[in-house]
Amino acid sequence: MADWVTWYSGLPAFVDPDPARAYWTAVGGPILVTSTKLGAAAYVDDRAIHHTGDWTDTLATVSRVIGLDHAGVPAQA
């Protein structure tokens, strides 16, 4: 799965070696592939924020959903 994510996203990914992990906090780091549902502000999957093939659109949707603008700054109310 990590190879697939890296191939299609162009971003580094790896399989989680720690089954007891509760959070993943590497901002700007590699993508963590795990079978455990970790704590998160948002999920990109088939039941949450759906990825339609355009990462720019997906990340913009995530930013809007969690209350950030595109630059990662809290949005103005």
Side-chain angles (χ1 to χ4, degrees):
M1 180 51 76
D3 290 341
W4 183 92
V5 169
T6 298
W7 176 263
Y8 285 99
S9 72
L11 303 170
F14 73 100
V15 175
D16 189 8
D18 182 1
R21 184 184 312 276
Y23 297 97
W24 178 242
T25 59
V27 175
I31 295 172
L32 178 69
V33 175
T34 179
S35 61
T36 305
K37 203 65 136 175
L38 303 176
Y43 291 101
V44 177
D45 64 16
D46 60 337
R47 288 190 256 164
I49 296 172
H50 185 69
H51 175 64
T52 60
D54 183 335
W55 282 107
T56 301
D57 286 344
T58 300
L59 295 175
T61 301
V62 168
S63 293
R64 182 177 41 78
V65 166
I66 65 174
L68 300 177
D69 67 12
H70 232 347
V73 177
Q76 298 296 320

